[in-house]
Amino acid sequence: MDLLTPLTLMMTVLALVLLLLISRNGWLRGRLDEWWLDLGLRRLLDARHYFLFSHVTLPGGQGSTQIDYLVVSPFGLFVVDVRNLHGWIFGGADKKLWTLQHGREKQRFQNPVEQHQLQLATLQSLLGLQEDQIHLAVVFVGRCSFKSDVPDNIIKGGVTAYIKRYQQECLSQAQMTRVINAIEQHRLESTPQQEQLQLARLEHWRQQVDVTPAPMPAAAVLASVPPHESEATVGITPVCPQCGSPMILRVSQNGTNRGNRFWRCSAYPQCRSVISNIS
C-alpha cells in the first residue's frame, strides 16, 4: 500500500503536466482534437446508414484533390475538411479572404467555402451526384476561435452533430453503393494498410445494410455490362472465382497498365485473385 501511494501520486502529476502541455501547445491541442473528431466519426455514426472514407485522394482538374473525410449516407455525401489552426479567425460568408490572427501576426486565407467549390464540382462530375446531394463541412480544431459570424457549415470541434442534422433522404441504397464503388475505383495512392481497413469497412457496411448482390461469376458480370457503362456505374459486383468473396473494381496507377481497370478480390492479400483486361 505504501508503494502504491507514491506511484499513484506520480501518475497524477504526470497526467496534470500532460494536460497543461496540451492546453498551452496549439499544435498538440489540434492533434488531440483531430483524434477526437476521427473517433467520433467512427463511433457515433451508425454503420448501417453511414459509410466513412478517410484521407482520400481523387483525380480532379489538372491534378488531384485531397479530402480528409467522405461520409456516404442516405442523406447525401458529406465532404469534411479539417483545419488545425491557432488564433482568432475573422471572416464571413460574404468575405473572399479571411484572417487568422495570433498575437500580432496576421495571416490571410481564402474563404473556405469558396475554396472548395471546384472540389465539390469535381465530386459531382466524378460520382454522378447533384449539387444538393453533397454537403460540405469545414471543421476547425486546435486553439482557435471565431470572432465573427460564419456559415453553418463552418464548425469548431466535432462534426457528427452537424451530419446528423440532415434527415431528408436523397440517396437510395443503390445510389449509395454506386457512389462507394466509384470512390473505391477512382481513389489514388492508398497504402496497403488503408486499403485493408477500407475493404473491411466496405464488407461490414454491406453486411449491415444487406446490399451485397447475389453471387455472379465474374465473366457473367462483364458480359452483362453495356460497352459504354462501367461496372461501378451499374452497381454490379462479381464474386471471386477462387474464394467466393466480393471483388473490388480498381484502377492501375503504375507501370504500362496505368489507367487500366481490373477486379481484385476483397480478401487480398489472403487471396490474390485478379481479373484484368476490362475494357
Side-chain angles (χ1 to χ4, degrees):
M1 192 69 175
D2 292 336
L3 292 176
L4 288 177
T5 302
L7 179 61
T8 303
L9 180 61
M10 182 177 67
M11 295 298 293
T12 303
V13 171
L14 287 175
L16 290 174
V17 171
L18 181 60
L19 288 174
L20 181 63
L21 287 174
I22 290 175
S23 66
R24 289 181 172 272
N25 187 295
W27 182 84
L28 282 177
R29 170 68 179 275
R31 295 297 292 179
L32 180 62
D33 287 349
E34 289 179 18
W35 181 81
W36 276 111
L37 184 145
D38 184 270
L39 184 66
L41 285 170
R42 298 180 193 282
R43 301 298 184 188
L44 300 180
L45 295 178
D46 191 335
R48 294 172 298 177
H49 304 298
Y50 300 91
F51 186 86
L52 176 67
F53 289 92
S54 60
H55 307 297
V56 179
T57 303
L58 295 172
Q62 300 299 317
S64 60
T65 179
Q66 295 181 333
I67 305 169
D68 292 322
Y69 297 96
L70 287 174
V71 182
V72 186
S73 78
F75 317 109
L77 173 69
F78 294 88
V79 182
V80 181
D81 175 36
V82 183
R83 303 195 178 191
N84 184 353
L85 297 179
H86 181 31
W88 292 346
I89 299 172
F90 299 87
D94 58 339
K95 303 291 186 181
K96 290 187 177 296
L97 291 176
W98 290 19
T99 301
L100 172 67
Q101 181 176 345
H102 177 50
R104 294 185 178 181
E105 297 181 3
K106 293 183 179 181
Q107 178 183 346
R108 298 270 187 169
F109 61 97
Q110 188 178 354
N111 182 323
V113 175
E114 292 188 1
Q115 185 178 358
H116 284 80
Q117 292 309 305
L118 179 59
Q119 183 185 72
L120 298 180
T122 298
L123 288 173
Q124 289 179 46
S125 175
L126 197 66
L127 305 178
L129 295 175
Q130 301 298 317
E131 183 178 357
D132 60 357
Q133 293 175 314
I134 301 180
H135 313 298
L136 170 68
V138 182
V139 186
F140 287 85
V141 298
R143 294 185 63 191
C144 61
S145 59
F146 301 123
K147 294 301 180 179
S148 53
D149 293 335
V150 296
D152 290 342
N153 58 346
I154 304 295
I155 304 165
K156 179 67 173 76
V159 70
T160 53
Y162 173 80
I163 291 176
K164 289 181 177 181
R165 280 164 46 185
Y166 287 83
Q167 293 297 313
Q168 182 67 40
E169 294 190 9
C170 58
L171 293 178
S172 66
Q173 291 290 351
Q175 288 174 311
M176 287 179 61
T177 302
R178 175 179 60 79
V179 170
I180 291 170
N181 286 342
I183 295 172
E184 283 286 356
Q185 175 190 354
H186 293 291
R187 70 182 303 177
L188 308 172
E189 301 175 359
S190 57
T191 65
Q193 292 80 5
Q194 290 174 329
E195 203 162 281
Q196 284 301 301
L197 180 61
Q198 203 61 53
L199 288 173
R201 289 179 191 156
L202 180 59
E203 184 60 26
H204 176 71
W205 178 80
R206 283 173 171 163
Q207 292 174 358
Q208 289 288 323
V209 300
D210 193 25
V211 298
T212 305
M216 292 180 63
V221 169
L222 298 180
S224 68
V225 178
H228 63 282
E229 295 192 44
S230 70
E231 293 80 355
T233 299
V234 299
I236 302 175
T237 304
V239 295
C240 175
Q242 293 189 16
C243 70
S245 299
M247 301 198 81
I248 300 294
L249 186 62
R250 307 292 293 168
V251 178
S252 178
Q253 303 299 327
N254 301 298
T256 58
N257 292 322
R258 182 181 177 87
N260 292 342
R261 297 180 300 154
F262 64 94
W263 289 103
R264 189 178 68 194
C265 182
S266 60
Y268 177 89
Q270 287 74 21
C271 177
R272 296 180 178 270
S273 177
V274 170
I275 302 173
S276 56
N277 299 323
I278 300 176
S279 58

